[in-house]
């Protein structure tokens, strides 16, 4: 099969690796000039590592990333629990922390090793299909020259503002959470023995800090000023990147139509609690590759919306519990947070 992929983020690259390794021809185009330089998703979970193992990417992630073994849970200034993350000694641990920029770099290297090449600097303009195949028009961003690509199937993995999703007329159903969140990558005087730390409060704020390796940490909060919270706990030496953002809870009305599918952020968006965004998309990519192998995208279109809805619902439930301000829910939350099982269920 000849498959056209729009978008070479972690999801497009995963699909490209899986399909090329299985003998399919892949044309993959991305409007950026190379992989992202932003750290974005920092958690690669057990499931993603298992899927990426045959390509060698999982091993490379393990060698480059940080296997977070313990998490400190605090309620404001008070220590609530010190949790050992279960399953971190398995061949593919429960979770490895690595900036997305590094994960994408390792994926691109693996793709090139098997003969692949991303057409960087090429934006998808439109995509359409007939019963016989798909036609994608891409535009070179420097010259404006358009190229028409004929393929058997197409995958839209261009993230939240997916041209493919629009071209298929699919709705992106859901809502935006009312608060502005903030994240920052910092170098700091990390005062704890644990490699990650969650700080909750009875006012509903959540802050999460996790190692990125090389003395760097990611801080994320469900309010506009996570740096102020970090500063109250430790000395910040340098802020490398900070970004306010809003959280969308959305699932596309379908994972595609006919010969054209969508995957990753093009198809779903949810609360960052549990770090599932990129991992769910990698699972989509491999499910898509299985469907291409079987010569039928119908199982992909039938099964993946359920997986997306489950993650959106689960992470939203966890978020509402963690940020709860009612007395009963706070007691339940504080009890659950002392259980390593709760943390694992969030991560995988
Ligand atoms: C600031 C930020 C912080 C984040 N933090 C976290 C986090 O802490 N934890 C977590 O789990 N997730 C996080 N995420 C989400 C995570 O980055 C995504 O879930 C993940 O990147 C999804 O991968 P994707 O390949 O589907 O989409 P993307 O990574 O968005 O990749 C899409 C690719 O498509 C390309 N593209 C877009 N339009 C076109 C077009 N028309 N033609 C061709 N190419 C196109 C883009 O250049 C990009 O390379 C964060 C995201 C952002 C933006």
């Amino acid at each position: 099969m000849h498959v056209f992929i729009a978008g070479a983020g972690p999801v497009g690259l995963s699909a490209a690796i899986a399909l090329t390794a299985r003998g399919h021809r892949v044309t993959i185009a991305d409007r950026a000039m190379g992989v992202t330089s932003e750290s974005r998703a920092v958690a690669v979970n057990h499931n993603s590592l298992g899927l990426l193992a045959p390509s060698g990417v999982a091993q490379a992630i393990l060698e480059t990333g940080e296997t977070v073994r313990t998490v400190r849970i605090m309620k404001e200034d008070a220590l609530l629990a010190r949790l050992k993350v279960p399953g971190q000694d398995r061949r593919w641990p429960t979770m490895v922390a690595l900036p997305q920029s590094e994960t994408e770099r390792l994926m691109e290297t693996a793709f090139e090793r098997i003969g692949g090449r991303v057409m960087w600097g090429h934006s998808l303009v439109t995509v359409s299909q007939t019963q016989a195949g798909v036609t994608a028009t891409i535009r070179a961003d420097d010259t404006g020259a358009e190229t028409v690509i004929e393929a058997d199937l197409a995958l839209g993995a261009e993230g939240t503002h997916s041209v493919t999703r629009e071209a298929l007329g699919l709705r992106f159903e859901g809502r935006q959470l009312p608060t502005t969140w903030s994240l920052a990558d910092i170098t700091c005087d990390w005062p704890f023995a644990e490699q990650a730390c969650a700080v909750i409060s009875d006012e509903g704020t959540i802050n999460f800090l996790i190692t990125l390796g090389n003395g760097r940490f990611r801080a994320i909060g469900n309010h506009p000023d996570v740096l102020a919270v970090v500063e109250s706990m430790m000395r910040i030496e340098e802020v490398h990147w900070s970004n306010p953002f809003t959280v969308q809870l959305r699932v596309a009305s379908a994972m595609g139509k006919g010969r054209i599918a969508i995957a990753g952020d093009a198809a779903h968006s949810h609360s960052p609690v549990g770090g599932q965004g990129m991992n769910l998309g990698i699972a989509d990519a491999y499910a898509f590759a299985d469907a291409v192998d079987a010569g039928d995208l119908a199982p992909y279109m039938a099964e993946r919306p359920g997986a997306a809805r489950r993650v959106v619902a689960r992470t939203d439930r966890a978020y509402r519990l963690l940020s709860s301000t009612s007395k009963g829910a706070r007691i339940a939350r504080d009890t659950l947070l002392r259980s390593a099982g709760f943390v694992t269920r969030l991560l995988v």
Side-chain angles (χ1 to χ4, degrees):
M1 291 273 188
H2 178 198
V3 183
F4 170 75
I5 302 174
V11 174
L13 283 170
S14 294
I17 291 169
L19 290 166
T20 306
R22 298 171 194 196
H24 300 286
R25 180 176 159 214
V26 169
T27 303
I28 176 166
D30 194 296
R31 72 175 176 196
M33 291 312 295
V35 297
T36 184
S37 57
E38 294 178 352
S39 62
R40 296 188 184 180
V42 297
V44 186
N45 75 12
H46 172 76
N47 187 51
S48 296
L49 291 169
L51 293 170
L52 293 166
S55 65
V57 172
Q59 186 61 36
I61 288 175
L62 216 51
E63 284 160 12
T64 321
E66 294 277 316
T67 307
V68 175
R69 294 188 178 275
T70 48
V71 182
R72 182 183 186 88
I73 314 276
M74 296 176 67
K75 187 156 159 188
E76 290 158 3
D77 295 340
L79 178 66
L80 206 59
R82 277 195 187 99
L83 297 180
K84 188 169 177 289
V85 181
Q88 291 297 65
D89 289 323
R90 287 180 290 177
R91 170 100 175 92
W92 306 123
T94 303
M95 193 275 281
V96 176
L98 185 69
Q100 186 173 321
S101 48
E102 277 296 294
T103 301
E104 290 188 18
R105 188 182 62 76
L106 297 173
M107 286 177 168
E108 188 186 18
T109 303
F111 182 47
E112 289 177 347
R113 206 165 39 230
I114 54 176
R117 187 182 62 87
V118 177
M119 298 175 73
W120 295 112
H122 286 79
S123 295
L124 176 68
V125 180
T126 188
V127 60
S128 61
Q129 61 186 314
T130 63
Q131 282 194 337
V134 302
T135 304
T137 304
I138 57 172
R139 183 185 297 131
D141 294 335
D142 52 355
T143 62
E146 291 195 349
T147 307
V148 174
I149 294 163
E150 307 280 353
D152 298 303
L153 301 166
L155 180 69
E158 326 95 306
T160 314
H161 305 289
S162 167
V163 170
T164 308
R165 192 185 65 231
E166 290 284 315
L168 292 174
L170 301 174
R171 296 181 307 282
F172 206 24
E173 293 161 342
R175 65 196 163 93
Q176 178 179 313
L177 292 186
T179 50
T180 297
W181 293 44
S182 52
L183 66 76
D185 288 355
I186 56 172
T187 303
C188 58
D189 281 346
W190 182 253
F192 308 124
E194 301 82 7
Q195 296 134 308
C197 175
V199 187
I200 55 161
S201 74
D202 284 344
E203 284 70 51
T205 58
I206 309 173
N207 300 278
F208 188 66
L209 291 90
I210 186 168
T211 178
L212 295 176
N214 299 320
R216 288 194 183 199
F217 288 82
R218 155 67 59 85
I220 182 166
N222 66 340
H223 55 88
D225 200 359
V226 72
L227 282 172
V229 176
V230 179
E231 263 166 351
S232 72
M233 298 164 67
M234 61 193 80
R235 194 173 69 84
I236 297 176
E237 284 171 19
E238 196 177 344
V239 178
H240 304 284
W241 181 53
S242 66
N243 197 35
F245 66 103
T246 51
V247 174
Q248 310 283 333
L249 309 185
R250 294 185 192 278
V251 179
S253 51
M255 294 294 281
K257 277 184 192 169
R259 293 174 169 272
I260 305 176
I262 54 173
D265 279 15
H268 40 69
S269 172
H270 54 82
S271 156
V273 170
Q276 293 298 300
M278 181 178 72
N279 294 298
L280 181 61
I282 291 173
D284 289 343
Y286 277 82
F288 174 76
D290 289 345
V292 173
D293 256 356
D296 182 10
L297 296 189
Y300 176 84
M301 314 257 188
E303 285 157 24
R304 293 313 292 170
R309 285 199 191 94
R310 279 194 294 279
V311 171
V312 173
R314 181 157 54 96
T315 53
D316 186 38
R317 262 199 317 275
Y319 174 64
R320 278 189 279 118
L321 181 68
L322 289 173
S323 61
S324 179
T325 51
S326 84
K327 192 169 178 204
R330 279 185 313 184
I331 292 167
R333 173 197 64 190
D334 294 358
T335 308
L336 270 174
L337 276 175
R338 294 188 180 95
S339 140
F342 177 70
V343 175
T344 312
R345 280 199 301 281
L346 268 182
L347 292 174
V348 181

